[in-house]
Amino acid sequence: MTLLECKGLTKKYGSHTALSNISLTIEGGHIIGLLGPNGSGKTTLIKLVTGLLSPDSGTIHIMEEPIGPSSKSLISYLPDHTYLNQAMRVRDIMDFFDDFYSDFDSMRAYDMLAKLQINPNHKLKMLSKGTQEKVQLILVMSRRASLYILDEPIAGVDPAARDYILNTILSNYDENASILISTHLISDIENILDEVIFIQNGSLHTHASVDDLRQKEHKSIDTIFREVFKC
């Protein structure tokens, strides 16, 4: 089942071309790494898919739906910055999501809070930056979405919590859904990836199976990435 189809996507900011003629397809049941250096166009692609930006040319469909209210209801998006009201209690934020999203699973959310020892009665501003990011991830992964888009989901958390967060990602999505993860911490996540998308200077460099790449290059995805982008 095709979840995401992009054809000829181009986005410019004035004279700067952020994305140039990007075409790709994502099927259901996969975890995909969206990888590239800063300024490569990853965030622009994410904002186009989530409907936060409109392309200058090209088309995007989510499960055959054009970008709009219907497509947005199929996507659960974790941005790379805190967007929640700092004065609200975690419990109140959970209630808000439960009211706003028909596919929000509050039992799943509270179970994850308990496992991470996060008190739902605390206000968000009382929590550390890393814990706030965990709360955001819990909110996103507690929806029964078709496509999860996670922008740097483990960047702000301590190494000890990363394994749990990755396990949370793996164990809390439907087998027919897919997860698109943008991150710089490739070595931490490459073992959970099925596919990778390399974006370079606004263009699609690579979209391939992780197993095929490793077999062809006899190297880790992290090493391949460093060689492609000369990191």
Side-chain angles (χ1 to χ4, degrees):
M1 175 182 61
T2 298
L3 288 184
L4 169 65
E5 184 176 37
C6 302
K7 292 183 178 179
L9 281 186
T10 296
K11 180 64 181 179
K12 296 181 179 181
Y13 300 106
S15 61
H16 171 65
T17 300
L19 285 182
S20 178
N21 197 34
I22 294 280
S23 295
L24 59 86
T25 299
I26 290 176
E27 303 294 331
H30 295 147
I31 300 178
I32 305 104
L34 178 62
L35 311 175
N38 289 334
S40 61
K42 302 187 306 297
T43 298
T44 297
L45 178 59
I46 286 173
K47 287 183 176 181
L48 290 171
V49 172
T50 54
L52 297 174
L53 290 174
S54 298
D56 293 311
S57 61
T59 60
I60 309 169
H61 288 85
I62 309 292
M63 295 181 69
E64 301 185 348
E65 293 281 351
I67 297 301
S70 294
S71 72
K72 289 179 181 180
S73 69
L74 301 171
I75 297 173
S76 191
Y77 170 46
L78 176 72
D80 64 349
H81 58 275
T82 300
Y83 63 93
L84 301 172
N85 187 333
Q86 296 287 305
M88 291 180 70
R89 294 184 305 164
V90 173
R91 182 183 301 280
D92 295 333
I93 298 170
M94 295 289 175
D95 289 343
F96 174 79
F97 266 64
D98 196 26
D99 289 340
F100 195 81
Y101 295 107
S102 61
D103 60 359
F104 186 76
D105 187 337
S106 58
M107 288 184 63
R108 174 193 284 182
Y110 278 105
D111 181 61
M112 285 191 276
L113 283 177
K115 287 178 178 176
L116 283 174
Q117 298 181 323
I118 299 172
N119 189 333
N121 292 312
H122 282 171
K123 291 184 177 180
L124 206 64
K125 63 184 178 183
M126 297 171 61
L127 307 177
S128 68
K129 182 176 182 292
T131 302
Q132 289 184 32
E133 292 180 357
K134 292 174 190 175
V135 170
Q136 288 190 135
L137 179 64
I138 288 170
L139 291 167
V140 168
M141 297 309 300
S142 294
R143 288 186 55 201
R144 301 284 183 178
S146 297
L147 178 62
Y148 298 85
I149 299 179
L150 313 179
D151 197 353
E152 297 291 349
I154 58 174
V157 301
D158 57 273
R162 285 179 188 166
D163 285 346
Y164 177 79
I165 287 174
L166 292 176
N167 183 62
T168 297
I169 292 170
L170 282 172
S171 59
N172 286 284
Y173 77 105
D174 186 86
E175 62 181 9
N176 294 317
S178 281
I179 303 177
L180 185 66
I181 305 176
S182 176
T183 184
H184 290 93
L185 300 172
I186 301 167
S187 61
D188 287 308
I189 71 156
E190 72 167 271
N191 286 337
I192 73 169
L193 298 178
D194 300 306
E195 301 175 13
V196 290
I197 296 169
F198 288 175
I199 302 289
Q200 185 175 43
N201 298 323
S203 298
L204 181 64
H205 180 282
T206 300
H207 182 192
S209 157
V210 165
D211 289 340
D212 289 348
L213 269 182
R214 287 186 183 130
Q215 187 173 19
K216 178 183 177 182
E217 301 292 339
H218 303 288
K219 298 171 184 174
S220 70
I221 299 302
D222 187 51
T223 299
I224 296 169
F225 177 88
R226 292 175 186 276
E227 290 179 354
V228 168
F229 298 104
K230 310 299 181 186
C231 296

